Amino acid sequence: MKSADNRLIRLIALFKLLKAALLIAVGMSALHLVHRDVASVAEHLVTMLGLDPGNRYVGRALQKFADLTPNKIKSFGIVSFIYAGLFLTEGIGLWLVKRWAEWFSVIITTSLIPVEVYGIYRHPSTIKCLVLIVNIAVVAYLLYRIRNERPNVGEP
């Protein structure tokens, strides 16, 4: 296997590991908020950031935070950890350049693309579009690689 191929696989691995780290941070933050007054935490954050609480978008966001129940927050945190576990598995396997990790990444990433498209449809943003494009490129590259590379000796 060429070293350029390994560098690209490791770059994909870093992308997956970064997503895992972000999801772990989100999950920990959510679980930290389970038994707190989420509305007052959100209001404090709005004040710290210098945002106008009277702004209709900020006001809507504050209302959504106020409507969150402890069970919703806990569920959100747990789901974040589950996705982080998937991304960690992908990232570590790809960093080690394992064939199973390439297949695992193709399956997981492809299965999440409809969710990303729906998220873009509901609330479009440049970052969401960029993540979608990167994920499609990752799937295309991994499929190309799986199809054209021979497996390493000792691997299925």
Side-chain angles (χ1 to χ4, degrees), residues 35-52:
H35 297 295
R36 296 184 66 190
D37 181 10
V38 180
S40 65
V41 170
E43 287 174 15
H44 177 71
L45 185 61
V46 164
T47 304
M48 279 182 44
L49 294 173
L51 299 174
D52 176 17

Side-chain angles (χ1 to χ4, degrees), residues 111-148:
S111 70
L112 294 176
I113 286 175
V115 175
E116 292 175 4
V117 170
Y118 179 74
I120 291 169
Y121 173 75
R122 294 274 310 200
H123 304 285
S125 77
T126 304
I127 292 175
K128 288 179 184 179
C129 290
L130 288 174
V131 169
L132 176 64
I133 290 167
V134 168
N135 282 333
I136 290 170
V138 165
V139 168
Y141 172 72
L142 290 174
L143 285 173
Y144 168 80
R145 190 177 149 83
I146 288 168
R147 183 176 167 99
N148 294 317

Side-chain angles (χ1 to χ4, degrees), residues 37-127:
D37 181 10
V38 180
S40 65
V41 170
E43 287 174 15
H44 177 71
L45 185 61
V46 164
T47 304
M48 279 182 44
L49 294 173
L51 299 174
D52 176 17
N55 179 293
R56 71 177 187 170
Y57 298 113
V58 174
R60 272 193 221 153
L62 288 172
Q63 184 58 48
K64 287 189 179 200
F65 275 105
D67 293 341
L68 289 175
T69 64
N71 282 340
K72 284 182 183 178
I73 296 168
K74 187 176 178 182
S75 296
F76 184 73
I78 290 169
V79 168
S80 293
F81 286 128
I82 290 169
Y83 278 116
L86 290 173
F87 290 136
L88 278 172
T89 303
E90 286 180 85
I92 292 168
L94 289 171
W95 186 263
L96 298 173
V97 193
K98 297 295 183 182
R99 176 70 65 182
W100 63 262
E102 294 174 15
W103 278 107
F104 188 69
S105 290
V106 166
I107 292 166
I108 296 299
T109 306
T110 303
S111 70
L112 294 176
I113 286 175
V115 175
E116 292 175 4
V117 170
Y118 179 74
I120 291 169
Y121 173 75
R122 294 274 310 200
H123 304 285
S125 77
T126 304
I127 292 175

